[in-house]
Amino acid sequence: MSNQDRPPPPPGPVTTLANRGIQPRFGDLVQSCRKLVMNRLAEHLTGVFAQVDDTLFECAEKAENNQVQTLFFDSMRDIRKQRPQIERTYHQHIAKCFEDFLSGKLKPELKASELDANHLQLIENEEYEENLLVTNMVSRVKARCAQSLFALDQRLAVLNGGRKLGDDDNPVGPQAVALAFREALQPCPFPLRIKTILYMLFDQHVMHGLDNIYDALNQRLIEAGVLPNLKYSVQRSTSVPHPQSNAPGQASTPQQPQPATGVPPTAPPNLAGAPPSDPGQLFSGLAALLGERRQHHGDAPLPGGTPSISSFAPRGATRTYSAAELLEALNRLQQQSAQDLASKLRQPQRVEGLKADLQQQLESHSSLPGQQKLSDYEADVIDLVGMLFDFILDDDNLADIYKTALSHLHTPYLKVALQDKALFTQHHHPARRLLNSMAQAGVLYADEGGERGLLAKMHWVVERIVHGFSGDLLLFDSLLDEFNEYVGTLRHKAELREQRAVEAAKGRDKLLGARQQAVDAIARVLVDRDLPGIIQHFLELTWTDVLVFVLLRHGDRSSEWQRSVEVAEQLAWSGTPQDGQGRARLQQLRIPMLEDLRKGLELLGGYHEDGIRRLLQDLVACQHAVQSQQPQLAARIDSPLPQSKLGEMLGADAELASTPRPASLSSRAQALIKELAQLEFGTWFEFIDGPDTRALKLSWYSPTTRNYMFVDHSGQRVAIMPITQLALDMEQGLARLVPPERSAPLVDRALGAIYRVLQRFTGRTT
């Protein structure tokens, strides 16, 4: 290794471990681990720069024009000049992370209350894209190395005196490694296109090499006796580390950094395994599976029943259409679609019909009628795009009106796919992002689909593409910006509705908690007492409301609350027969008790003076009847009580406090309750009601009453239910978590589904 490849020594001395966060007895061990990491990362970074020239040269050979080709050649020279500085900054950043760890400097968690809205600002588009590239690299390592990272975090916490490491405090964690490279690139004036290639190479050589580094570190710590018997266990969580936090209405974001057009395709994956998460490998696998299908089942329809475009070609055709002939045929189809498009948008464009029309256009303008066919590559692309739009038309997530609108993009997107395969291999391709964004909006804001709402905006985008796309992908960028701006207003409306629903739920929940406390207090007063109806009903209905308002106003430690409960106890006691001493005591208590009852009724505000007087007279008459040993007379005394004001305020939520809790829960339900208690807000559920299924989002959870509130896509409150009821519904199959893949962008879901179907079709899986 050359001198420039070796990491520089860490800043400052390393002999003062006794004064740092690391325990002194672990000093040599930590330095050994540090040396291992620094040397291996240096080797991996050397691999990045060793491949830069070859990669950029291949990109230059396949560049779309001279200007782009010059960019690649100039970048080779610029990267060679900047390499020493990049390596030096990178190693210094890693060394600084170790120094902070040695000193016990763990980053404090940023709380929402600490954010200053006055200093928040929008980031530039290139910075946003670079953020995504870094975040995606980190997310993949975290997912891939979850077990070894968990173990390493636990063992490093032991070295750090037992202080738990935060999510990104590990000095050699994926976050630290990726950010070190970003910091090293920061001063370099490379265009985003070149940085993307560098990040791709860094991901291949460094981030993928972290697996072995983590294993080696864990082994070294085990040999040193640091948690040698540690077992891997994590709490189940529904939150999946997504690089993009797909807020409603936002376009999907890339999951894998991809270089500019011209980077050699990724090798095909194992065709019998799960669909690859890497879009380049996924596309290679799809191409291989389509090739197998064509070779062994060429005459059979494609999965789903739509014929292959090859089946429309004349029998015995030996010559192929040129790319120009195919493009001209698609242009004619697009012009036909543009005619009276507004009326056509009411009916879906079927894939089989489009293929037949395309073949008719090719054949009718062929210079060699009956002798030409499409090349295998072009036929596969046409079939793949066709299966994508078949998936859209069959997608249960989308309402029919949105499927119909999107189906009319088939021809323009076929032109895009034939012109630029990055539609399939790059998550951030503008045409792919636009399609994903429109589909996601159709799912999230389906209720906004009126003639002047989301549907109208979607029709406008489709018309702009069908009328205006002639090969310039910038059209998709501009339409994506405008569409996302419109969806942003829908998202803002939904967020406001949800915020209002949460605030209202918090208020009702506070009332419910107070009501339950009041109900419990009255229940204790009534236990083992057989009271006349007027006294029992007054306590259970009216005085319960009085207790709630006293509790909310003064709290349960106040003298007002204690006196109100005492009055309830005295009234219940007065409704049971007493001996002479008890009757004498009642005479002493009656006047202050009646005065407090009057104050409580005035607090409710639902009684007039005459009504309060009559009610108190009836209560006194009942007391006299009970003490005179005339239970029949006491039972006949009745005073109409007004409707509970608290009940009116709570509405249907009032039933939640009175719903009896299950006497016992199965072990499965108890386990579900523990899992539900760990859920994050924003988790989506599906609720099954007969043939209907509805997706609702967990928006708020009360830690006091343990009630969950759910909203729909528009942010409107739909349901509040106790955690026990939710667990029982899940146990019975009436509710379930929405699988993470259901929230994936449309094109990702479609290509994954097509991959799995082709695997079955070719016999790779059953």
Side-chain angles (χ1 to χ4, degrees):
M1 185 186 303
S2 65
N3 290 333
Q4 73 172 18
D5 294 331
R6 293 191 179 278
V14 295
T15 58
T16 58
L17 290 170
N19 300 321
R20 302 186 178 191
I22 298 299
Q23 299 182 39
R25 63 192 179 94
F26 291 128
D28 292 338
L29 175 61
V30 172
Q31 291 304 320
S32 170
C33 292
R34 176 190 173 283
K35 183 177 180 181
L36 181 153
V37 170
M38 298 295 288
N39 286 337
R40 292 210 184 178
L41 287 179
E43 293 173 5
H44 295 328
L45 189 62
T46 300
V48 172
F49 289 104
Q51 198 174 333
V52 165
D53 280 0
D54 290 341
T55 303
L56 291 177
F57 185 79
E58 291 177 14
C59 291
E61 283 189 323
K62 300 179 180 180
E64 55 266 36
N65 55 53
N66 291 337
Q67 183 179 1
V68 174
Q69 189 177 63
T70 302
L71 169 67
F72 288 127
F73 283 126
D74 290 343
S75 297
M76 293 183 203
R77 182 177 59 256
D78 293 338
I79 291 173
R80 282 195 292 271
K81 289 181 179 179
Q82 297 288 340
R83 176 180 175 178
Q85 177 62 36
I86 293 173
E87 290 182 323
R88 183 163 50 252
T89 305
Y90 172 78
H91 294 311
Q92 286 174 347
H93 194 88
I94 296 293
K96 179 66 166 55
C97 290
F98 263 99
E99 284 301 300
D100 289 345
F101 176 73
L102 289 169
S103 304
K105 296 179 183 178
L106 302 186
K107 295 187 291 260
E109 294 185 9
L110 182 62
K111 298 179 180 178
S113 59
E114 297 171 348
L115 291 175
D116 184 354
N118 294 325
H119 292 85
L120 297 178
Q121 57 184 348
L122 295 174
I123 60 176
E124 294 294 334
N125 191 44
E126 286 198 1
E127 184 180 358
Y128 171 73
E129 293 289 340
E130 194 171 355
N131 284 342
L132 292 176
L133 293 171
V134 172
T135 304
N136 293 325
M137 288 193 299
V138 173
S139 298
R140 283 192 298 276
V141 175
K142 286 183 177 179
R144 191 176 67 244
C145 304
Q147 181 171 348
S148 55
L149 271 173
F150 169 84
L152 187 57
D153 285 348
Q154 301 303 308
R155 293 187 171 107
L156 289 178
V158 172
L159 304 187
N160 202 33
R163 294 181 64 189
K164 181 180 179 182
L165 272 67
D167 190 39
D168 295 315
D169 284 324
N170 189 326
V172 70
Q175 180 90 349
V177 174
L179 287 180
F181 189 66
R182 177 170 184 174
E183 288 294 321
L185 291 183
Q186 200 67 35
C188 304
F190 302 142
L192 178 62
R193 194 167 191 176
I194 302 303
K195 283 188 176 181
T196 302
I197 295 175
L198 290 173
Y199 279 120
M200 179 202 70
L201 294 173
F202 184 82
D203 190 30
Q204 290 176 355
H205 290 271
V206 180
M207 300 301 281
H208 277 78
L210 291 178
D211 307 53
N212 293 331
I213 293 178
Y214 296 152
D215 290 339
L217 283 174
N218 275 309
Q219 187 59 38
R220 183 158 297 185
L221 292 169
I222 289 171
E223 292 171 355
V226 180
L227 299 181
N229 300 315
L230 178 66
K231 300 297 182 184
Y232 173 64
S233 64
V234 292
Q235 288 182 328
R236 178 181 173 185
S237 170
T238 56
S239 64
V240 178
H242 281 300
Q244 73 273 22
S245 192
N246 265 358
Q250 286 182 334
S252 62
T253 50
Q255 297 177 359
Q256 167 73 11
Q258 289 291 329
T261 303
V263 173
T266 318
N270 173 18
L271 297 180
S277 58
D278 178 89
Q281 289 189 347
L282 181 65
F283 180 66
S284 298
L286 286 167
L289 290 169
L290 283 169
E292 284 191 15
R293 188 213 68 83
R294 183 178 60 252
Q295 183 177 356
H296 301 293
H297 310 279
D299 296 330
L302 292 166
T306 301
S308 168
I309 187 66
S310 300
S311 65
F312 291 88
R315 293 288 180 181
T318 56
R319 302 194 179 187
T320 57
Y321 292 104
S322 67
E325 289 174 312
L326 176 56
L327 180 60
E328 289 171 2
L330 289 171
N331 286 337
R332 289 191 294 270
L333 278 186
Q334 187 174 332
Q335 291 169 5
Q336 289 180 1
S337 298
Q339 297 172 5
D340 301 323
L341 179 60
S343 61
K344 295 176 184 176
L345 287 173
R346 304 296 173 182
Q347 297 295 326
Q349 184 178 43
R350 298 293 175 185
V351 174
E352 184 172 357
L354 184 140
K355 287 183 177 180
D357 291 343
L358 175 58
Q359 180 61 38
Q360 191 273 331
Q361 286 290 338
L362 287 168
E363 185 69 16
S364 62
H365 290 78
S366 172
S367 58
L368 299 168
Q371 301 179 40
Q372 287 181 288
K373 61 179 181 178
L374 291 165
S375 70
D376 290 343
Y377 172 78
E378 290 166 338
D380 285 348
V381 171
I382 292 170
D383 285 342
L384 183 56
V385 174
M387 286 187 281
L388 168 62
F389 279 87
D390 266 335
F391 179 90
I392 292 173
L393 289 171
D394 291 336
D395 189 6
D396 292 334
N397 290 349
L398 270 175
D400 288 342
I401 54 174
Y402 301 116
K403 296 179 188 178
T404 297
L406 295 179
S407 71
H408 289 272
L409 292 174
H410 191 160
T411 302
Y413 270 73
L414 188 48
K415 289 171 60 176
V416 173
L418 289 166
Q419 168 187 331
D420 184 9
K421 75 170 184 182
L423 175 68
F424 298 114
T425 62
Q426 292 184 2
H427 287 286
H428 55 276
H429 190 282
R432 179 167 176 156
R433 292 174 62 198
L434 179 61
L435 187 58
N436 285 334
S437 186
M438 288 196 291
Q440 185 183 45
V443 172
L444 295 178
Y445 310 111
D447 295 337
E448 305 287 345
E451 294 298 323
R452 298 183 179 179
L454 176 62
L455 181 62
K457 190 66 176 179
M458 203 174 286
H459 282 171
W460 176 84
V461 172
V462 172
E463 289 173 350
R464 286 286 306 275
I465 294 173
V466 172
H467 284 284
F469 178 61
S470 58
D472 185 2
L473 295 178
L474 291 177
L475 174 65
F476 292 95
D477 276 314
S478 62
L479 291 177
L480 176 64
D481 290 341
E482 187 159 349
F483 184 78
N484 280 347
E485 182 179 354
Y486 171 77
V487 171
T489 63
L490 301 182
R491 181 173 65 255
H492 182 62
K493 290 179 183 177
E495 289 170 349
L496 287 178
R497 289 193 201 103
E498 183 176 355
Q499 183 179 353
R500 287 195 292 265
V502 169
E503 293 302 321
K506 287 180 178 178
R508 289 191 182 94
D509 189 74
K510 190 175 182 181
L511 278 178
L512 278 173
R515 186 172 188 266
Q516 186 61 52
Q517 196 168 344
V519 167
D520 292 342
I522 294 297
R524 289 191 294 270
V525 166
L526 297 178
V527 68
D528 296 331
R529 282 174 172 156
D530 185 14
L531 300 179
I534 183 174
I535 293 180
Q536 179 147 349
H537 294 156
F538 176 81
L539 288 171
E540 290 179 332
L541 301 176
T542 304
W543 202 249
T544 296
D545 283 3
V546 172
L547 288 179
V548 170
F549 286 108
V550 171
L551 182 62
L552 292 175
R553 180 174 293 182
H554 302 289
D556 60 359
R557 297 181 181 274
S558 64
S559 58
E560 290 85 355
W561 167 259
Q562 299 299 330
R563 176 56 186 159
S564 298
V565 174
E566 184 182 16
V567 168
E569 170 65 32
Q570 291 175 353
L571 181 59
W573 172 78
S574 74
T576 58
Q578 303 295 326
D579 56 15
Q581 185 178 358
R583 288 193 294 272
R585 179 171 176 261
L586 177 57
Q587 283 296 104
Q588 296 176 343
L589 294 177
R590 180 174 284 125
I591 292 178
M593 176 173 52
L594 291 174
E595 182 60 28
D596 285 326
L597 288 174
R598 176 187 298 277
K599 291 179 181 177
L601 293 172
E602 290 173 348
L603 177 65
L604 287 183
Y607 288 86
H608 297 294
E609 184 63 31
D610 291 343
I612 293 176
R613 186 173 59 254
R614 283 194 300 271
L615 177 56
L616 295 180
Q617 288 172 349
D618 289 339
L619 290 173
V620 172
C622 182
Q623 290 173 344
H624 284 303
V626 170
Q627 303 309 325
S628 301
Q629 304 297 319
Q630 301 181 59
Q632 295 84 1
L633 176 59
R636 287 198 298 271
I637 298 174
D638 189 20
S639 185
L641 300 174
Q643 291 292 326
S644 167
K645 292 291 183 183
L646 179 61
E648 294 177 5
M649 294 170 64
L650 288 173
D653 291 351
E655 300 177 4
L656 292 173
S658 58
T659 301
R661 297 179 181 178
S664 62
L665 293 170
S666 67
S667 57
R668 170 62 177 154
Q670 293 176 18
L672 284 169
I673 288 176
K674 290 182 180 179
E675 293 179 17
L676 289 171
Q678 303 297 323
L679 288 185
E680 298 178 356
F681 295 156
T683 301
W684 285 90
F685 283 76
E686 282 183 336
F687 292 90
I688 296 92
D689 183 12
D692 300 323
T693 300
R694 190 170 193 184
L696 300 176
K697 182 174 71 171
L698 171 61
S699 180
W700 177 72
Y701 167 70
S702 166
T704 54
T705 61
R706 306 194 80 191
N707 291 330
Y708 278 34
M709 187 187 82
F710 293 92
V711 299
D712 58 16
H713 287 108
S714 68
Q716 201 74 34
R717 167 185 154 170
V718 175
I720 285 187
M721 65 175 63
I723 190 173
T724 51
Q725 184 59 51
L726 180 57
L728 290 173
D729 285 352
M730 293 183 71
E731 184 181 28
Q732 297 167 15
L734 300 176
R736 61 182 176 233
L737 292 170
V738 174
E741 59 269 18
R742 286 277 299 277
S743 60
L746 171 71
V747 177
D748 297 60
R749 288 189 292 112
L751 295 181
I754 293 168
Y755 191 96
R756 287 187 289 269
V757 172
L758 285 173
Q759 283 179 309
R760 293 195 295 272
F761 193 86
T762 57
R764 293 284 182 173
T765 60
T766 57

